[in-house]
Amino acid sequence: MSTISGDKETAGPYSVLDYLLLDDAYDYGELDDALLARLNVTVIKTPLITEKPHKYDEHLVARALLSFV
């Protein structure tokens, strides 16, 4: 990030992560929403898991990623 923002006089909190894609029904534990907001990370919850509870469904992930375009 220092290379990218080298021409800026002030440094601020930067995140290399803009989006966090999560399954809407899976329990990931507690998320620090305040920290994610300060880092400008957008959390997107959508269906990503079908039959196998610990494996993402490739078609649902692809569909979610293509929705960004």
Side-chain angles (χ1 to χ4, degrees), residues 3-43:
T3 301
I4 294 171
S5 61
D7 59 344
K8 293 184 181 180
E9 294 180 16
T10 59
Y14 293 105
S15 172
V16 295
L17 181 68
D18 293 324
Y19 298 97
L20 182 58
L21 188 60
L22 302 174
D23 182 77
D24 60 353
Y26 188 82
D27 182 12
Y28 294 95
E30 190 172 333
L31 294 177
D32 190 341
D33 294 325
L35 175 61
L36 292 170
R38 283 195 309 273
L39 294 173
N40 294 321
V41 175
T42 303
V43 177

